[in-house]
Amino acid sequence: MAKTQRERDDDATAKRKELGEIELRHRVIKGTDAALAEIMLWHGFSQKAEAIQILIINTHALGAEFSAAVAASASPCTRKPAEWLRHRLRPGTRAMLDEIAQWRGTDNLAAVVEQLIHETHMLGQQHSAHRVRVPRHEIHVSENVAQWVHAKGISQCRLQDLQEARDEWRD
């Protein structure tokens, strides 16, 4: 029988709690949510949390020098926060966001998230692609491992052949 919406919500909440996921709510300047929505549309994201986490991960990968240079060249925002931005972060991504904030000389996480969104949006669709690409792991198999896997596969095939031959004689 299919789960009810309540059961699915309870399962999702339990999984978030198990993974240590926290929900952040930021007051941001007007237009931040629209800029994020446009970035999501450009690059095929369906969830705000996913887009923000990728922005954080990729900005963190650029390092302290990049973040310090961006912070030095940014002009302080004098507009008042006007809208709420809600998203979830896992502990590792939260630690990266804290580190980016430290590199930028602030402890205001809302301002850092807001800056990441607006910096990426200002780059435009084509030039922002490197800021929102999903990191992929490259797997390199050594020659020894490849030979071992191949030999193991051949031995398993031989065992299956023998078992099939025995089964045919029994029938």
Side-chain angles (χ1 to χ4, degrees):
M1 186 165 153
K3 289 185 176 183
T4 65
Q5 183 62 46
R6 176 72 181 183
E7 291 171 327
R8 286 193 297 272
D9 290 346
D10 291 344
D11 288 348
T13 302
K15 185 172 182 179
R16 277 192 226 104
K17 189 176 273 187
E18 179 184 320
L19 295 172
E21 213 171 67
I22 56 170
E23 182 175 9
L24 298 178
R25 298 176 187 180
H26 304 295
R27 295 275 294 164
V28 293
I29 60 173
K30 189 173 179 134
T32 303
D33 201 34
L36 180 60
E38 197 163 13
I39 292 167
M40 291 170 58
L41 180 68
W42 291 343
H43 301 290
F45 289 103
S46 59
Q47 297 180 359
K48 289 180 184 180
E50 180 185 14
I52 292 171
Q53 286 188 41
I54 294 297
L55 279 173
I56 292 168
I57 290 167
N58 288 339
T59 301
H60 188 268
L62 293 172
E65 295 81 19
F66 173 81
S67 287
V70 168
S73 66
S75 57
C77 180
T78 57
R79 296 179 281 177
K80 299 278 185 213
E83 60 189 24
W84 285 100
L85 179 65
R86 295 175 50 194
H87 62 96
R88 290 183 170 81
L89 289 179
R90 292 191 178 164
T93 313
R94 171 63 192 265
M96 288 181 193
L97 180 60
D98 290 336
E99 198 166 10
I100 293 168
Q102 181 184 6
W103 293 340
R104 292 182 178 217
T106 183
D107 59 352
N108 185 348
L109 298 181
V112 173
V113 170
E114 183 179 291
Q115 289 169 359
L116 294 178
I117 292 168
H118 286 290
E119 289 164 12
T120 304
H121 188 262
M122 284 190 300
L123 292 172
Q125 184 174 0
Q126 292 177 341
H127 297 294
S128 66
H130 74 283
R131 294 286 292 271
V132 291
R133 77 181 188 290
V134 178
R136 300 285 182 218
H137 299 287
E138 290 185 26
I139 299 172
H140 299 284
V141 179
S142 70
E143 186 65 30
N144 291 343
V145 172
Q147 289 174 357
W148 180 83
V149 169
H150 181 70
K152 195 76 164 165
I154 288 174
S155 68
Q156 285 180 349
C157 287
R158 286 182 182 148
L159 284 174
Q160 287 176 347
D161 287 344
L162 288 173
Q163 287 174 345
E164 287 175 8
R166 282 188 210 132
D167 292 343
E168 284 178 14
W169 282 98
R170 288 183 188 162
D171 293 338

Coordinates of all heavy atoms in Angstrom, one line a residue, residues 36-119:
L36 N 18.2 33.6 -7.7 CA 18.5 32.2 -7.5 C 17.6 31.3 -8.4 O 18.0 30.4 -9.0 CB 18.2 31.8 -6.1 CG 18.4 30.3 -5.7 CD1 19.8 29.9 -6.0 CD2 18.1 30.1 -4.2
A37 N 16.3 31.8 -8.6 CA 15.4 31.0 -9.5 C 15.9 31.1 -10.9 O 15.8 30.0 -11.6 CB 14.0 31.7 -9.4
E38 N 16.5 32.2 -11.3 CA 17.0 32.3 -12.7 C 18.2 31.4 -12.9 O 18.4 30.7 -13.9 CB 17.3 33.7 -13.0 CG 17.5 33.9 -14.5 CD 17.4 35.4 -14.9 OE1 17.5 36.3 -14.0 OE2 17.3 35.6 -16.1
I39 N 19.1 31.4 -11.9 CA 20.3 30.5 -11.9 C 19.8 29.0 -12.0 O 20.4 28.2 -12.8 CB 21.2 30.7 -10.7 CG1 21.8 32.1 -10.7 CG2 22.3 29.6 -10.6 CD1 22.5 32.5 -9.4
M40 N 18.8 28.7 -11.2 CA 18.3 27.3 -11.2 C 17.7 27.0 -12.6 O 17.9 25.8 -13.1 CB 17.2 27.2 -10.1 CG 17.8 27.2 -8.7 SD 16.5 27.3 -7.4 CE 15.5 25.9 -7.8
L41 N 17.0 27.9 -13.2 CA 16.5 27.7 -14.5 C 17.6 27.5 -15.6 O 17.5 26.6 -16.4 CB 15.5 28.8 -14.9 CG 14.9 28.8 -16.3 CD1 13.8 27.6 -16.3 CD2 14.2 30.1 -16.6
W42 N 18.6 28.3 -15.5 CA 19.7 28.2 -16.5 C 20.4 26.9 -16.4 O 20.8 26.3 -17.5 CB 20.7 29.3 -16.2 CG 20.4 30.7 -16.4 CD1 19.3 31.2 -17.2 CD2 21.0 31.9 -15.9 NE1 19.3 32.5 -17.1 CE2 20.4 33.0 -16.4 CE3 22.1 32.0 -15.1 CZ2 20.7 34.3 -16.0 CZ3 22.5 33.3 -14.7 CH2 21.9 34.4 -15.2
H43 N 20.6 26.4 -15.2 CA 21.4 25.2 -15.1 C 20.7 23.9 -14.6 O 21.3 22.9 -14.3 CB 22.6 25.5 -14.1 CG 23.4 26.7 -14.5 ND1 24.2 26.6 -15.6 CD2 23.5 27.9 -14.1 CE1 24.8 27.8 -15.8 NE2 24.4 28.6 -14.9
G44 N 19.4 24.0 -14.7 CA 18.6 22.7 -14.5 C 18.4 22.2 -13.1 O 18.2 21.0 -12.9
F45 N 18.5 23.1 -12.1 CA 18.3 22.7 -10.7 C 16.8 22.8 -10.4 O 16.1 23.7 -10.9 CB 19.0 23.6 -9.7 CG 20.5 23.4 -9.8 CD1 21.3 24.4 -10.4 CD2 21.1 22.4 -9.1 CE1 22.7 24.2 -10.5 CE2 22.5 22.2 -9.2 CZ 23.3 23.1 -9.8
S46 N 16.3 21.8 -9.6 CA 14.9 21.8 -9.2 C 14.7 22.3 -7.8 O 13.6 22.6 -7.4 CB 14.3 20.5 -9.5 OG 15.0 19.5 -8.7
Q47 N 15.8 22.3 -7.0 CA 15.6 22.6 -5.6 C 16.6 23.7 -5.2 O 17.8 23.6 -5.6 CB 15.9 21.4 -4.7 CG 14.9 20.3 -4.9 CD 15.2 19.1 -4.0 OE1 16.2 19.1 -3.2 NE2 14.4 18.1 -4.1
K48 N 16.1 24.6 -4.4 CA 17.0 25.7 -3.9 C 18.2 25.2 -3.1 O 19.3 25.7 -3.3 CB 16.2 26.7 -3.0 CG 15.2 27.5 -3.8 CD 14.5 28.4 -2.8 CE 13.4 29.2 -3.5 NZ 12.7 30.1 -2.6
A49 N 17.9 24.3 -2.2 CA 19.0 23.8 -1.4 C 20.1 23.2 -2.2 O 21.3 23.4 -1.9 CB 18.4 22.7 -0.4
E50 N 19.8 22.4 -3.2 CA 20.8 21.8 -4.1 C 21.6 22.9 -4.8 O 22.9 22.8 -4.8 CB 20.1 20.9 -5.2 CG 21.1 20.3 -6.1 CD 20.3 19.5 -7.2 OE1 19.1 19.7 -7.4 OE2 21.1 18.7 -7.8
A51 N 21.0 23.9 -5.3 CA 21.7 25.0 -6.0 C 22.6 25.7 -5.1 O 23.8 26.0 -5.4 CB 20.7 25.9 -6.7
I52 N 22.1 26.0 -3.9 CA 23.0 26.8 -2.9 C 24.1 25.9 -2.4 O 25.3 26.4 -2.3 CB 22.1 27.3 -1.7 CG1 21.1 28.3 -2.2 CG2 23.0 27.8 -0.6 CD1 20.1 28.7 -1.2
Q53 N 23.9 24.6 -2.2 CA 25.0 23.8 -1.8 C 26.1 23.7 -2.8 O 27.3 23.7 -2.5 CB 24.5 22.4 -1.4 CG 23.7 22.4 -0.1 CD 23.3 21.0 0.4 OE1 24.1 20.1 0.3 NE2 22.1 20.9 0.9
I54 N 25.7 23.6 -4.1 CA 26.7 23.5 -5.2 C 27.4 24.8 -5.2 O 28.7 24.8 -5.4 CB 26.0 23.2 -6.5 CG1 25.4 21.7 -6.5 CG2 27.0 23.3 -7.7 CD1 26.4 20.6 -6.3
L55 N 26.8 25.9 -5.1 CA 27.5 27.2 -5.1 C 28.5 27.3 -3.9 O 29.6 27.7 -4.1 CB 26.5 28.4 -4.9 CG 25.7 28.9 -6.1 CD1 24.7 29.9 -5.7 CD2 26.6 29.5 -7.1
I56 N 28.1 26.8 -2.8 CA 29.0 26.8 -1.6 C 30.2 25.9 -1.9 O 31.4 26.3 -1.7 CB 28.3 26.4 -0.3 CG1 27.3 27.5 0.0 CG2 29.3 26.1 0.8 CD1 26.3 27.0 1.1
I57 N 30.0 24.7 -2.4 CA 31.0 23.7 -2.6 C 32.0 24.2 -3.6 O 33.2 24.2 -3.4 CB 30.4 22.3 -3.0 CG1 29.7 21.7 -1.8 CG2 31.5 21.4 -3.6 CD1 28.9 20.5 -2.2
N58 N 31.5 24.8 -4.7 CA 32.4 25.3 -5.8 C 33.1 26.5 -5.4 O 34.3 26.7 -5.8 CB 31.6 25.5 -7.1 CG 31.2 24.1 -7.7 OD1 31.8 23.1 -7.5 ND2 30.2 24.2 -8.6
T59 N 32.5 27.4 -4.6 CA 33.2 28.6 -4.2 C 34.3 28.2 -3.2 O 35.4 28.8 -3.2 CB 32.2 29.6 -3.5 OG1 31.2 29.9 -4.5 CG2 32.9 30.8 -3.1
H60 N 34.0 27.3 -2.3 CA 35.0 26.8 -1.4 C 36.2 26.2 -2.1 O 37.3 26.4 -1.7 CB 34.4 25.8 -0.4 CG 35.3 25.4 0.7 ND1 36.1 24.3 0.7 CD2 35.5 26.0 1.9 CE1 36.8 24.2 1.8 NE2 36.4 25.2 2.6
A61 N 35.9 25.5 -3.2 CA 37.0 24.9 -3.9 C 37.9 25.9 -4.6 O 39.1 25.7 -4.8 CB 36.4 24.0 -5.0
L62 N 37.4 27.1 -4.8 CA 38.2 28.2 -5.4 C 39.2 28.8 -4.4 O 40.2 29.4 -4.8 CB 37.3 29.3 -6.0 CG 36.4 28.9 -7.2 CD1 35.4 30.1 -7.5 CD2 37.3 28.6 -8.4
G63 N 39.0 28.6 -3.1 CA 39.9 28.9 -2.1 C 39.8 30.3 -1.5 O 39.0 31.1 -1.8
A64 N 40.7 30.4 -0.5 CA 40.7 31.6 0.3 C 41.1 32.9 -0.4 O 40.5 34.0 -0.2 CB 41.6 31.5 1.5
E65 N 42.0 32.8 -1.3 CA 42.5 33.9 -2.1 C 41.4 34.5 -3.0 O 41.2 35.7 -3.0 CB 43.7 33.5 -3.0 CG 44.9 33.2 -2.2 CD 44.9 31.7 -1.7 OE1 44.1 30.9 -2.2 OE2 45.7 31.4 -0.8
F66 N 40.6 33.6 -3.6 CA 39.5 34.0 -4.4 C 38.5 34.7 -3.6 O 38.0 35.8 -4.0 CB 38.9 32.8 -5.2 CG 37.6 33.2 -5.9 CD1 37.7 33.7 -7.2 CD2 36.4 32.9 -5.3 CE1 36.5 34.1 -7.8 CE2 35.2 33.3 -6.0 CZ 35.3 33.8 -7.3
S67 N 38.1 34.1 -2.5 CA 37.1 34.7 -1.6 C 37.5 36.1 -1.1 O 36.7 37.0 -1.0 CB 36.7 33.8 -0.5 OG 35.9 32.7 -1.0
A68 N 38.8 36.2 -0.7 CA 39.3 37.4 -0.1 C 39.3 38.5 -1.2 O 38.9 39.7 -0.9 CB 40.7 37.2 0.4
A69 N 39.7 38.1 -2.4 CA 39.7 39.1 -3.5 C 38.3 39.6 -3.9 O 38.0 40.8 -4.1 CB 40.3 38.5 -4.8
V70 N 37.3 38.7 -3.9 CA 35.9 39.1 -4.1 C 35.4 40.0 -3.0 O 34.8 41.0 -3.3 CB 35.0 37.8 -4.3 CG1 33.6 38.2 -4.3 CG2 35.4 37.0 -5.5
A71 N 35.7 39.6 -1.8 CA 35.2 40.5 -0.7 C 35.9 41.8 -0.7 O 35.2 42.8 -0.4 CB 35.6 39.8 0.7
A72 N 37.1 41.9 -1.1 CA 37.8 43.2 -1.2 C 37.2 44.1 -2.3 O 37.2 45.3 -2.1 CB 39.3 43.0 -1.4
S73 N 36.8 43.5 -3.4 CA 36.3 44.3 -4.5 C 34.8 44.6 -4.4 O 34.3 45.4 -5.1 CB 36.5 43.5 -5.8 OG 35.8 42.3 -5.9
A74 N 34.1 43.9 -3.5 CA 32.6 44.1 -3.3 C 32.3 45.4 -2.6 O 33.0 45.7 -1.6 CB 32.0 42.9 -2.6
S75 N 31.3 46.1 -3.0 CA 30.9 47.2 -2.3 C 29.8 46.8 -1.3 O 29.0 45.9 -1.5 CB 30.3 48.3 -3.3 OG 29.2 47.7 -4.0
P76 N 29.8 47.4 -0.1 CA 28.9 47.0 0.9 C 27.5 47.3 0.5 O 27.2 48.4 -0.1 CB 29.3 47.8 2.1 CG 30.1 48.9 1.6 CD 30.7 48.5 0.3
C77 N 26.6 46.4 0.8 CA 25.2 46.6 0.4 C 24.5 47.4 1.5 O 24.6 47.2 2.7 CB 24.5 45.2 0.3 SG 22.8 45.3 -0.1
T78 N 23.8 48.5 1.1 CA 23.1 49.4 2.0 C 21.6 49.1 2.0 O 20.9 49.8 2.7 CB 23.4 50.8 1.6 OG1 23.0 51.1 0.3 CG2 24.8 51.2 1.8
R79 N 21.1 48.2 1.1 CA 19.7 48.0 1.1 C 19.3 47.1 2.3 O 20.1 46.3 2.8 CB 19.3 47.3 -0.2 CG 19.6 48.2 -1.4 CD 19.2 47.5 -2.7 NE 20.3 46.6 -3.0 CZ 20.4 45.8 -4.0 NH1 19.3 45.7 -4.8 NH2 21.4 45.0 -4.3
K80 N 18.0 47.2 2.7 CA 17.5 46.4 3.8 C 17.0 45.1 3.3 O 16.4 45.0 2.2 CB 16.3 47.2 4.4 CG 16.7 48.5 5.0 CD 17.3 48.4 6.4 CE 17.6 49.7 7.0 NZ 18.7 49.8 7.8
P81 N 17.3 44.0 4.1 CA 16.7 42.7 3.7 C 15.2 42.8 3.7 O 14.5 43.4 4.5 CB 17.2 41.8 4.8 CG 18.4 42.5 5.4 CD 18.1 44.0 5.2
A82 N 14.6 42.2 2.6 CA 13.2 42.3 2.4 C 12.5 40.9 2.2 O 11.2 40.9 2.2 CB 12.9 43.2 1.2
E83 N 13.2 39.9 2.0 CA 12.6 38.6 1.8 C 13.3 37.5 2.5 O 14.5 37.6 2.8 CB 12.4 38.3 0.3 CG 13.7 38.2 -0.5 CD 13.5 38.2 -2.0 OE1 12.5 38.6 -2.5 OE2 14.4 37.7 -2.7
W84 N 12.6 36.4 2.7 CA 13.2 35.2 3.4 C 13.7 34.2 2.3 O 13.1 34.0 1.3 CB 12.2 34.5 4.2 CG 11.9 35.2 5.5 CD1 10.8 36.0 5.7 CD2 12.6 35.2 6.7 NE1 10.8 36.5 7.0 CE2 12.0 36.0 7.6 CE3 13.8 34.6 7.1 CZ2 12.4 36.3 8.9 CZ3 14.3 34.8 8.3 CH2 13.6 35.7 9.2
L85 N 14.9 33.6 2.6 CA 15.4 32.6 1.8 C 15.7 31.4 2.8 O 16.4 31.5 3.7 CB 16.7 33.0 1.2 CG 17.4 32.0 0.3 CD1 16.6 31.6 -0.9 CD2 18.8 32.5 -0.1
R86 N 15.0 30.3 2.5 CA 15.1 29.1 3.3 C 15.8 28.0 2.5 O 15.5 27.8 1.4 CB 13.7 28.6 3.8 CG 13.0 29.6 4.7 CD 11.6 29.1 5.0 NE 11.6 27.7 5.4 CZ 10.5 27.0 5.5 NH1 9.3 27.5 5.2 NH2 10.6 25.7 5.9
H87 N 16.7 27.3 3.2 CA 17.4 26.1 2.5 C 18.0 25.2 3.6 O 18.1 25.6 4.8 CB 18.4 26.6 1.5 CG 19.5 27.4 2.1 ND1 20.7 26.8 2.5 CD2 19.6 28.7 2.5 CE1 21.5 27.7 3.0 NE2 20.9 28.9 3.0
R88 N 18.3 24.0 3.2 CA 18.9 23.1 4.2 C 20.4 22.9 3.8 O 20.8 22.9 2.6 CB 18.2 21.8 4.1 CG 16.8 21.9 4.7 CD 16.2 20.5 4.7 NE 14.9 20.5 5.5 CZ 13.8 20.9 5.0 NH1 13.7 21.4 3.8 NH2 12.7 20.9 5.8
L89 N 21.2 22.6 4.8 CA 22.6 22.3 4.6 C 23.0 21.1 5.5 O 22.5 21.0 6.7 CB 23.5 23.5 5.0 CG 23.5 24.7 4.1 CD1 24.4 25.7 4.7 CD2 23.9 24.3 2.7
R90 N 23.9 20.3 5.0 CA 24.4 19.2 5.8 C 25.7 19.7 6.5 O 26.2 20.8 6.1 CB 24.8 18.0 4.9 CG 23.5 17.4 4.4 CD 23.8 16.1 3.7 NE 22.5 15.5 3.3 CZ 22.4 14.5 2.5 NH1 23.5 14.0 1.9 NH2 21.3 14.0 2.1
P91 N 26.2 19.1 7.5 CA 27.3 19.6 8.3 C 28.5 20.0 7.5 O 29.1 21.0 7.8 CB 27.6 18.5 9.3 CG 26.3 17.7 9.4 CD 25.6 17.8 8.1
G92 N 28.9 19.2 6.6 CA 30.1 19.5 5.8 C 30.0 20.7 5.0 O 30.9 21.6 4.9
T93 N 28.8 20.9 4.4 CA 28.6 22.1 3.6 C 28.5 23.3 4.5 O 28.9 24.4 4.1 CB 27.3 22.0 2.7 OG1 27.3 20.7 2.1 CG2 27.2 23.0 1.7
R94 N 27.9 23.2 5.7 CA 27.8 24.3 6.6 C 29.2 24.7 7.1 O 29.5 25.9 7.2 CB 27.0 23.8 7.8 CG 27.0 24.8 9.0 CD 26.3 26.1 8.7 NE 26.6 27.1 9.7 CZ 25.8 27.4 10.7 NH1 24.6 26.8 10.8 NH2 26.1 28.3 11.5
A95 N 30.1 23.7 7.3 CA 31.5 24.1 7.6 C 32.1 24.8 6.5 O 32.9 25.8 6.8 CB 32.2 22.8 8.0
M96 N 31.9 24.5 5.3 CA 32.4 25.2 4.1 C 31.9 26.6 4.1 O 32.7 27.6 3.8 CB 32.1 24.5 2.8 CG 32.8 23.2 2.6 SD 32.3 22.5 1.0 CE 32.9 20.9 1.1
L97 N 30.6 26.8 4.3 CA 30.0 28.1 4.3 C 30.6 29.0 5.4 O 31.0 30.2 5.2 CB 28.5 28.0 4.5 CG 27.7 29.4 4.5 CD1 27.9 30.1 3.2 CD2 26.3 29.1 4.8
D98 N 30.8 28.4 6.6 CA 31.5 29.1 7.7 C 32.9 29.5 7.3 O 33.3 30.7 7.6 CB 31.5 28.3 9.0 CG 30.2 28.0 9.6 OD1 29.3 28.9 9.4 OD2 30.0 27.0 10.3
E99 N 33.6 28.7 6.6 CA 35.0 29.0 6.2 C 35.0 30.1 5.2 O 35.8 31.0 5.2 CB 35.7 27.7 5.7 CG 37.2 27.8 5.7 CD 37.8 26.5 5.5 OE1 37.2 25.5 5.2 OE2 39.1 26.5 5.6
I100 N 34.1 30.0 4.2 CA 34.0 31.1 3.2 C 33.7 32.4 3.9 O 34.3 33.5 3.5 CB 32.9 30.8 2.2 CG1 33.3 29.6 1.3 CG2 32.6 32.0 1.2 CD1 32.2 29.0 0.4
A101 N 32.8 32.4 4.9 CA 32.4 33.6 5.6 C 33.7 34.2 6.3 O 33.9 35.4 6.3 CB 31.3 33.4 6.6
Q102 N 34.5 33.3 6.9 CA 35.7 33.7 7.6 C 36.7 34.3 6.5 O 37.3 35.3 6.8 CB 36.3 32.5 8.2 CG 37.6 32.8 9.0 CD 38.2 31.5 9.6 OE1 37.8 30.4 9.3 NE2 39.3 31.7 10.3
W103 N 36.8 33.7 5.4 CA 37.7 34.2 4.3 C 37.3 35.6 3.9 O 38.1 36.4 3.5 CB 37.7 33.3 3.1 CG 38.3 32.0 3.4 CD1 39.2 31.6 4.4 CD2 38.1 30.8 2.6 NE1 39.5 30.3 4.2 CE2 38.9 29.7 3.1 CE3 37.4 30.5 1.4 CZ2 38.9 28.5 2.6 CZ3 37.4 29.2 0.9 CH2 38.2 28.2 1.5
R104 N 36.0 35.8 3.9 CA 35.4 37.1 3.5 C 35.3 38.1 4.6 O 34.9 39.3 4.4 CB 34.1 36.9 2.8 CG 34.2 36.2 1.5 CD 32.8 36.0 0.8 NE 33.0 35.3 -0.4 CZ 32.4 35.5 -1.5 NH1 31.4 36.4 -1.5 NH2 32.6 34.9 -2.6
G105 N 35.8 37.7 5.8 CA 35.8 38.7 6.9 C 34.5 39.0 7.5 O 34.3 40.1 8.0
T106 N 33.6 38.0 7.5 CA 32.3 38.3 8.1 C 31.8 37.0 8.8 O 32.3 35.9 8.6 CB 31.2 38.7 7.1 OG1 30.0 39.0 7.7 CG2 31.0 37.6 6.0
D107 N 30.8 37.2 9.7 CA 30.2 36.0 10.3 C 28.7 36.0 10.0 O 28.0 35.1 10.5 CB 30.4 36.0 11.8 CG 29.8 37.3 12.5 OD1 29.4 38.2 11.8 OD2 29.8 37.3 13.7
N108 N 28.3 36.8 9.0 CA 26.9 36.9 8.6 C 26.7 35.9 7.4 O 27.0 36.2 6.3 CB 26.6 38.3 8.2 CG 25.2 38.5 7.8 OD1 24.4 37.6 7.6 ND2 24.8 39.8 7.6
L109 N 26.2 34.7 7.7 CA 26.0 33.7 6.7 C 25.0 34.1 5.7 O 25.1 33.8 4.5 CB 25.6 32.4 7.4 CG 26.6 31.8 8.3 CD1 26.0 30.5 8.9 CD2 27.9 31.6 7.7
A110 N 24.0 34.9 6.1 CA 23.0 35.4 5.1 C 23.6 36.3 4.1 O 23.3 36.1 2.9 CB 21.8 36.1 5.8
A111 N 24.5 37.1 4.5 CA 25.2 38.0 3.5 C 26.1 37.2 2.6 O 26.1 37.5 1.4 CB 26.0 39.0 4.3
V112 N 26.7 36.1 3.1 CA 27.6 35.3 2.2 C 26.8 34.6 1.2 O 27.1 34.6 0.0 CB 28.4 34.3 3.1 CG1 29.2 33.4 2.2 CG2 29.4 35.1 4.0
V113 N 25.7 34.0 1.6 CA 24.8 33.2 0.7 C 24.2 34.2 -0.4 O 24.2 33.9 -1.6 CB 23.7 32.5 1.4 CG1 22.6 32.0 0.4 CG2 24.2 31.4 2.3
E114 N 23.8 35.4 0.1 CA 23.3 36.4 -0.8 C 24.4 36.8 -1.8 O 24.1 36.9 -3.0 CB 22.9 37.6 0.0 CG 22.2 38.7 -0.7 CD 21.8 39.8 0.3 OE1 20.9 39.6 1.1 OE2 22.5 40.9 0.3
Q115 N 25.6 37.0 -1.4 CA 26.7 37.4 -2.3 C 27.0 36.3 -3.3 O 27.2 36.6 -4.5 CB 28.0 37.7 -1.5 CG 27.9 39.0 -0.7 CD 29.1 39.0 0.3 OE1 29.9 38.1 0.4 NE2 29.1 40.1 1.1
L116 N 27.0 35.1 -2.8 CA 27.2 34.0 -3.8 C 26.2 33.9 -4.9 O 26.5 33.8 -6.1 CB 27.3 32.6 -3.0 CG 28.4 32.4 -2.0 CD1 28.2 31.0 -1.4 CD2 29.7 32.5 -2.7
I117 N 25.0 34.1 -4.5 CA 23.9 34.1 -5.5 C 24.0 35.2 -6.5 O 24.0 35.1 -7.7 CB 22.5 34.1 -4.8 CG1 22.3 32.8 -4.0 CG2 21.4 34.4 -5.8 CD1 21.1 32.8 -3.1
H118 N 24.2 36.5 -6.0 CA 24.3 37.6 -6.9 C 25.6 37.6 -7.7 O 25.5 38.0 -8.9 CB 24.1 38.9 -6.1 CG 22.7 39.2 -5.6 ND1 21.7 39.5 -6.5 CD2 22.2 39.0 -4.4 CE1 20.6 39.6 -5.8 NE2 20.8 39.3 -4.5
E119 N 26.7 37.2 -7.1 CA 27.9 37.1 -7.9 C 27.7 36.1 -9.1 O 28.1 36.4 -10.2 CB 29.1 36.5 -7.1 CG 29.6 37.5 -6.0 CD 30.4 36.8 -5.0 OE1 30.8 35.6 -5.2 OE2 30.7 37.4 -4.0

